[in-house]
Amino acid sequence: MYNEKVCGIIFSNTHDNIITELTANRTLGSVPFGGRYRLIDFPLSNMVRSGISRVGVITKYNYQSLIDHLGSGREWDLSRKMGGLHILPPFGNTAHDGIYRGKLEALHGALAFLSHSNCKYVVMSDCNIISNMDYTPLVEYHIQKGADITLMYKNVNVSEEQARASTLLKVDHTGRVGEVMIAPKTEGVNNLCLDVYVVAKDLLIDLIREATAKGEFDFDRSVLQGKSDSLKIYGYSYDGFVEDIYTMQSYYQANMDLLNPEARKVLFPADRPVYTKIRDEVPVKYGIDAIAKNSLIADGCIIEGDVENCILFRGVIVKAGAKVKNSIIMQGTVIGSKCEVNHVIADKNVVFNDYRVVTGTIDYPVYLAKNSRV
Amino acid sequence: MFNKKECVAMLLAGGQGSRLYVLTQHMAKPAVPFGGKYRIIDFPLSNCVNSGIDTVGVLTQYQPLVLNEYLGNGQPWDLDRIHGGVHVLPPYQSALGAQWYKGTANAIYQNIPFVDRYDPEYVLILSGDHIYKMDYDKMLSFHKEKKADCTIAVLQVPMEEASRFGIMTADENGTIVDFEEKPKEPKSDLASMGVYIFSWKKLKQYLIDDENNVDSSKDFGKNIIPAMLGANEKMVAYPFEGYWKDVGTLDSLWEANMDLLNPNVPLELYDPNWKIYSRNPVMPPHYISAVANVQNSMVTEGCSVYGTVDFSVLFAGVTIEEGAVVRDSIIMPGAVIKKNSIVEYAIIGEDVVVEENVVIGERPEMIDDKSQWGIAVVGPDVTVSTGTVIKPKQMVAGNI
């Protein structure tokens, strides 16, 4: 099995700037999603399920919540003697200390992780794409094409806003990537780069060293654009389900999409579980007047009021007479009795005192920061 | 040589639990699912960890497969320790031959070498068939304070139920003066909870003596306790107040699950300082559909509810389809209740498939002859075919 020869790298901080409210105190990778997950759970579980058992997680700043979430990696089956989870802090390398400006510079801090690994290939992923996919066919395709770098993309309708936060690819009929468009002003059906790459480890190390020598730091610009002639860069088309987080609105919508049974079926199939931190919460208790409709509810919640079209994270309390609709309520938030909450994203441990009314709109949900009091 | 441990817990988990019938056909009683995401053994194990006891021997004999797999290395209970931790102790072959555990006392007797490795002052004896939260450390302090040889946790029970338990009579200082196992005419209402602390040196001697007594049935309640009482050892009753329930019968298992839904029952699972740990399933949050009605119930991760659920406990990964009605029932992990089926006053085992238009159980008020009423039970992995009617009190072990 070639799987023994693949290791993984996850960039926990790229795209932090796309949802600044949620990343004020955390990495994009530790942004809560879907009731009990963090965004990093998806690429990390994908790697584990694809047989990748050595994963480095690159961090930049605000990574305390990420370290708290990942711990030893046990819940992802990555607490290993051979391989396992490695959190790579930004100040981990004397040759290049500090806050990196781009992926290539960040990878410089991962050189030791890479050179100590006996893997032949490296799969790299960001945390903004939510999917339940197997990376095995991607790596097979990479080997079969004799590619230097293979990018995963999805042919999909892209909005102007989404394009502005993404990399789009032109791919010819042989699968070779031509033009690489970084944050272009366009819209319509395009090849959206899913920010998942495969590259041979030795080549990656060479690219990192070369970039360091030249003072380059941006992987997409210096490598994908700058070396498109000298390197064989291929595109691998993925046609499965993905959610792309590129704005607060898309974050809200991606959560709400989980209320669709078809989306849950492809994102959480029984034989391809998504791993996450265990908190030993009690099952949800529904009270005597509870009304719950079309909602996804994690353990530890106590529901005594009305909940409709909501995603409730672990340990949320909805008191009697409260009406919560079309909202994402994160861990530990308490909604007092007779409150009315509609189109709201409440971060962790928000307290709504009794009789509070907070209403956003479908295209502009109200965001309440962690620990706020209403 | 291992470091010394002050107190080692020995958890008796080898019993068949025959009064749970189909539910324990392929698993030991302590492994029976309870309370949505737990198994019975989670309660004594979590109590141990929360009480600061980090060395637990789990004595297994009957159908240990599910239990062994569930316990694993003890990590979910924080019992994966460098020194101590949880150890599964099945009967084993020795130079003198091989023998099964012949009784609760014999099971501990056979594991004297295990206990001795930790050289403890005290041994806590527990059983794997009770639901309760208890700080064993307080009981141990009591045992030390009283300079007792044996401390037995006791609970006040209604006098009319006393004949179902081991009954203690204690004097004003809490010293036990009399003990009777399931007496016909109980002299007291202090029932043994099956939780004992012994000073290990003392217990070890009584276990050895009991082993040599051919007439003994090698049982704590029947032999060891009476022998120690007869020899005037210092035995004290430790009064426990709080929720405690033996879940050894189908009715009591059902009742204990229903107790979780009753706000007046003092069993608080949400206490962050006394969490009940379990091996968590890896499943997404549960989904309640737009056409579902869920009230007065417990629902856990992996469930999908499209029907009506009232006064029920749904375990991990249960599906209730549209039009199905589940009332006053417990639905164990992975079970599916299909369209328009009605389940009332029932226990549905793990991975059961109830096809459409099935009727299982009935409310007691619908039946005139109360002797004909009881909890309906469907054993694990059974498929109940379309249109089947399963009566109250009926138990189904195979596909029907």
Side-chain angles (χ1 to χ4, degrees):
Chain A
M1 276 298 284
Y2 72 80
N3 277 339
E4 295 156 37
K5 298 187 200 137
V6 181
C7 66
I9 285 189
I10 295 177
F11 295 92
S12 68
N13 284 85
T14 44
H15 313 286
D16 271 6
N17 53 338
I18 57 178
I19 37 175
T20 45
E21 299 94 327
L22 291 168
T23 52
N25 291 305
R26 52 169 83 94
T27 64
L28 185 73
S30 43
V31 166
F33 180 81
R36 70 188 293 247
Y37 303 97
R38 305 284 183 137
L39 292 181
I40 198 171
D41 291 337
F42 294 88
L44 198 53
S45 300
N46 286 345
M47 285 185 179
V48 170
R49 281 188 265 94
S50 307
I52 299 174
S53 58
R54 182 179 167 88
V55 181
V57 176
I58 290 182
T59 57
K60 190 174 188 177
Y61 36 60
N62 275 341
Y63 50 84
Q64 197 173 336
S65 67
L66 185 77
I67 289 176
D68 180 49
H69 179 68
L70 295 175
S72 66
R74 190 181 56 224
E75 279 101 338
W76 297 264
D77 212 5
L78 285 175
S79 175
R80 303 282 190 92
K81 282 194 174 175
M82 289 186 283
L85 180 77
H86 299 256
I87 293 173
L88 305 169
F91 295 93
N93 188 307
T94 49
H96 174 81
D97 262 356
I99 299 303
Y100 54 80
R101 291 168 290 173
K103 269 184 194 162
L104 271 174
E105 213 164 66
L107 283 166
H108 190 270
L111 274 176
F113 167 80
L114 288 169
S115 44
H116 289 168
S117 155
N118 62 355
C119 68
K120 189 163 181 204
Y121 301 100
V122 184
V123 171
M124 298 190 284
S125 175
D126 292 355
C127 292
N128 57 315
I129 298 288
I130 296 156
S131 69
N132 186 321
M133 60 169 76
D134 186 355
Y135 297 145
T136 313
L138 168 70
V139 179
E140 275 167 359
Y141 179 86
H142 176 81
I143 295 168
Q144 178 216 325
K145 286 284 181 186
D148 291 315
I149 298 174
T150 304
L151 312 178
M152 190 186 270
Y153 69 89
K154 186 175 168 70
N155 191 256
V156 67
N157 195 20
V158 176
S159 70
E160 196 182 330
E161 216 173 9
Q162 189 174 10
R164 213 182 300 141
S166 310
T167 297
L168 305 180
L169 309 173
K170 290 265 190 285
V171 183
D172 72 15
H173 67 282
T174 66
R176 188 89 186 249
V177 172
E179 206 181 340
V180 175
M181 295 161 285
I182 300 168
K185 188 176 186 312
T186 183
E187 62 185 323
V189 175
N190 266 291
N191 295 326
L192 174 72
C193 181
L194 300 181
D195 295 329
V196 177
Y197 316 93
V198 193
V199 54
K201 182 186 77 173
D202 292 342
L203 174 62
L204 181 63
I205 290 176
D206 289 347
L207 290 169
I208 296 164
R209 294 221 164 103
E210 188 187 333
T212 310
K214 289 183 181 169
E216 291 170 345
F217 53 85
D218 191 307
F219 187 81
D220 287 11
R221 287 197 167 81
S222 300
V223 176
L224 299 185
Q225 287 183 334
K227 291 187 179 292
S228 60
D229 293 331
S230 55
L231 292 178
K232 280 179 280 175
I233 303 177
Y234 277 83
Y236 172 83
S237 169
Y238 177 73
D239 55 7
F241 177 86
V242 300
E243 291 280 5
D244 181 13
I245 311 283
Y246 53 93
T247 52
M248 199 61 163
Q249 173 56 22
S250 65
Y251 169 80
Y252 175 79
Q253 197 50 51
N255 272 284
M256 288 303 162
D257 284 350
L258 296 181
L259 299 178
N260 177 350
E262 291 308 313
R264 288 199 309 282
K265 204 149 101 191
V266 291
L267 208 48
F268 305 113
D271 57 342
R272 297 180 53 76
V274 180
Y275 303 103
T276 189
K277 187 184 178 184
I278 285 165
R279 286 178 43 89
D280 292 290
E281 296 282 5
V282 183
V284 176
K285 211 165 179 174
Y286 288 90
I288 197 149
D289 294 318
I291 301 175
K293 302 282 177 196
N294 192 37
S295 293
L296 199 63
I297 300 174
D299 274 4
C301 294
I302 299 177
I303 315 287
E304 287 166 338
D306 293 11
V307 176
E308 196 176 337
N309 306 330
C310 284
I311 310 285
L312 301 192
F313 284 69
R314 295 188 268 205
V316 168
I317 295 173
V318 178
K319 294 195 175 158
K323 287 189 183 3
V324 189
K325 287 183 180 167
N326 311 305
S327 294
I328 299 168
I329 310 292
M330 292 187 203
Q331 190 181 308
T333 287
V334 179
I335 298 175
S337 15
K338 309 269 182 187
C339 281
E340 287 184 29
V341 176
N342 197 353
H343 293 296
V344 164
I345 300 174
D347 209 314
K348 282 172 73 174
N349 302 320
V350 172
V351 176
F352 292 80
N353 289 325
D354 296 352
Y355 298 101
R356 295 299 183 266
V357 178
V358 182
T359 311
T361 61
I362 186 155
D363 49 3
Y364 199 89
V366 174
Y367 171 75
L368 299 167
K370 189 173 169 180
N371 300 326
S372 1
R373 294 271 180 284
V374 180
Chain B
M1 189 59 201
F2 280 175
N3 296 327
K4 191 176 172 65
K5 294 275 178 194
E6 188 188 29
C7 183
V8 167
M10 297 294 272
L11 205 164
L12 299 158
Q16 181 179 355
S18 55
R19 287 170 303 155
L20 290 177
Y21 303 95
V22 289
L23 297 181
T24 50
Q25 217 164 20
H26 300 292
M27 67 173 82
K29 180 158 63 172
V32 168
F34 178 83
K37 67 183 291 194
Y38 308 98
R39 293 185 186 263
I40 294 168
I41 197 168
D42 289 331
F43 287 80
L45 276 185
S46 300
N47 285 341
C48 280
V49 176
N50 290 332
S51 305
I53 293 170
D54 64 8
T55 308
V56 185
V58 179
L59 298 116
T60 61
Q61 177 156 286
Y62 173 80
Q63 288 284 6
L65 191 64
V66 176
L67 190 60
N68 287 353
E69 190 188 11
Y70 186 68
L71 293 174
N73 69 346
Q75 183 273 322
W77 303 269
D78 225 357
L79 284 172
D80 53 335
R81 301 294 174 101
I82 289 176
H83 173 52
V86 71
H87 295 266
V88 175
L89 303 169
Y92 57 91
Q93 200 172 28
S94 74
L96 298 172
Q99 49 177 334
W100 295 109
Y101 294 150
K102 286 168 290 185
T104 51
N106 176 257
I108 305 294
Y109 169 81
Q110 289 200 41
N111 286 287
I112 287 175
F114 170 82
V115 179
D116 274 343
R117 283 162 75 86
Y118 299 95
D119 187 23
E121 293 301 310
Y122 310 102
V123 168
L124 169 68
I125 307 289
L126 302 169
S127 60
D129 40 14
H130 301 136
I131 301 297
Y132 64 115
K133 289 179 18 176
M134 179 176 183
D135 189 343
Y136 303 135
D137 192 46
K138 284 188 182 154
M139 180 171 167
L140 183 60
S141 301
F142 183 86
H143 178 85
K144 289 190 261 187
E145 190 187 304
K146 295 279 180 187
K147 296 191 170 58
D149 298 307
C150 169
T151 301
I152 302 176
V154 295
L155 184 81
Q156 250 181 335
V157 294
M159 207 65 192
E160 59 272 19
E161 289 179 26
S163 56
R164 288 172 38 213
F165 299 94
I167 293 296
M168 316 280 156
T169 311
D171 69 15
E172 64 278 9
N173 299 318
T175 304
I176 298 168
V177 292
D178 186 51
F179 172 83
E180 283 179 291
E181 188 69 43
K182 297 187 177 117
K184 286 208 177 65
E185 286 170 22
K187 293 178 201 147
S188 135
D189 61 356
L190 291 182
S192 165
M193 295 164 60
V195 176
Y196 311 103
I197 291 176
F198 292 95
S199 298
W200 174 236
K201 281 196 191 77
K202 199 67 105 178
L203 175 63
K204 190 172 157 184
Q205 194 52 53
Y206 276 92
L207 289 173
I208 293 168
D209 294 347
D210 185 64
E211 186 64 16
N212 295 330
N213 176 0
V214 288
D215 298 327
S216 165
S217 52
K218 317 278 190 268
D219 184 86
F220 270 94
K222 290 186 193 126
N223 308 103
I224 301 290
I225 305 293
M228 288 181 80
L229 263 181
N232 281 322
E233 302 289 0
K234 171 98 175 170
M235 307 186 72
V236 294
Y238 173 75
F240 173 80
E241 280 173 22
Y243 183 86
W244 177 88
K245 192 153 191 124
D246 183 310
V247 285
T249 65
L250 291 167
D251 283 350
S252 64
L253 179 69
W254 178 86
E255 279 166 21
N257 275 282
M258 291 301 132
D259 283 347
L260 295 174
L261 308 176
N262 184 345
N264 300 321
V265 169
L267 180 65
E268 178 56 84
L269 296 181
Y270 291 82
D271 179 359
N273 299 316
W274 205 275
K275 274 192 180 182
I276 304 301
Y277 299 98
S278 67
R279 192 173 283 279
N280 283 242
V282 183
M283 288 183 177
H286 72 258
Y287 176 70
I288 307 288
S289 92
V291 294
N293 291 297
V294 182
Q295 290 181 328
N296 312 305
S297 294
M298 273 179 110
V299 183
T300 192
E301 281 160 352
C303 291
S304 296
V305 183
Y306 294 83
T308 296
V309 176
D310 202 5
F311 286 103
S312 294
V313 177
L314 306 190
F315 289 66
V318 164
T319 302
I320 310 293
E321 291 190 357
E322 202 172 334
V325 177
V326 176
R327 285 199 188 95
D328 303 282
S329 294
I330 63 183
I331 317 289
M332 289 189 176
V336 180
I337 313 292
K338 296 201 176 167
K339 285 191 178 118
N340 303 323
S341 284
I342 299 173
V343 178
E344 291 178 312
Y345 288 89
I347 298 174
I348 307 296
E350 281 184 69
D351 297 318
V352 165
V353 177
V354 174
E355 296 288 353
E356 296 178 13
N357 301 307
V358 167
V359 177
I360 299 176
E362 202 161 3
R363 279 181 279 176
E365 53 268 35
M366 304 302 288
I367 291 191
D368 294 333
D369 181 1
K370 291 292 181 262
S371 70
Q372 295 302 305
W373 186 85
I375 301 296
V377 181
V378 180
D381 302 311
V382 169
T383 297
V384 181
S385 52
T386 307
T388 309
V389 175
I390 296 175
K391 291 197 174 71
K393 226 175 174 179
Q394 193 178 339
M395 189 165 1
V396 178
N399 292 353
I400 180 169

